[in-house]
Amino acid sequence: MIHLVESFHFISEQTIFKVLPNDTSVQEGGDFYLLCGAIQDKRLQLHYRWQKDGVTLTSNERHIISFDRKVSKLRVLKAGLSDAGVYECVASTQPHKFEIKAIATVKIKGL
């Protein structure tokens, strides 16, 4: 349920994406990144996580997850064939545990 208050400010329990990750193709050995951003009721805390083929990713030397100005960024360095797949950005709010997902498909082109 959305309530309109003065000057187009919205109060809602619903979380919506404002930045969606895009499908991409990258040359094997190249780098790529995906962006994801959502807005939520300011009374709720927003958390992001990235998944590849249903498995949650964590930051490491090749997969770098960062957050800046309500946008989460997943950067993959030196992409290999194992990096091809379906990536999901999951935005969830606390304490309501409402989740939304944005999906991007990544293809790796051989050299």
Side-chain angles (χ1 to χ4, degrees):
M1 181 153 116
I2 297 176
H3 303 280
L4 181 61
V5 291
E6 36 182 288
S7 302
F8 299 105
H9 295 280
F10 291 95
I11 297 176
S12 169
E13 290 187 11
Q14 186 175 11
T15 303
I16 59 171
F17 281 109
K18 63 177 184 171
V19 178
L20 294 171
N22 293 316
D23 291 350
T24 189
S25 293
V26 63
Q27 200 67 26
E28 188 173 7
D31 300 345
F32 70 90
Y33 66 90
L34 300 171
L35 298 175
C36 176
I39 56 175
Q40 85 288 356
D41 184 325
K42 292 182 183 359
R43 298 172 293 182
L44 304 175
Q45 293 180 357
L46 182 64
H47 301 275
Y48 292 96
R49 77 176 181 275
W50 286 93
Q51 297 179 323
K52 179 189 168 284
D53 298 327
V55 177
T56 298
L57 298 173
T58 56
S59 286
N60 58 39
E61 62 278 350
R62 284 197 332 100
H63 298 99
I64 301 164
I65 299 170
S66 60
F67 178 79
D68 183 35
R69 297 184 186 180
K70 296 196 177 197
V71 175
S72 181
K73 180 178 183 178
L74 169 65
R75 186 168 180 213
V76 177
L77 307 175
K78 300 178 184 174
L81 295 177
S82 65
D83 293 309
V86 177
Y87 288 78
E88 290 181 321
C89 172
V90 181
S92 61
T93 54
Q94 298 295 330
H96 294 97
K97 298 185 180 173
F98 179 79
E99 290 188 350
I100 54 176
K101 296 181 180 181
I103 298 173
T105 301
V106 174
K107 296 179 183 175
I108 309 297
K109 298 185 259 182
L111 297 175

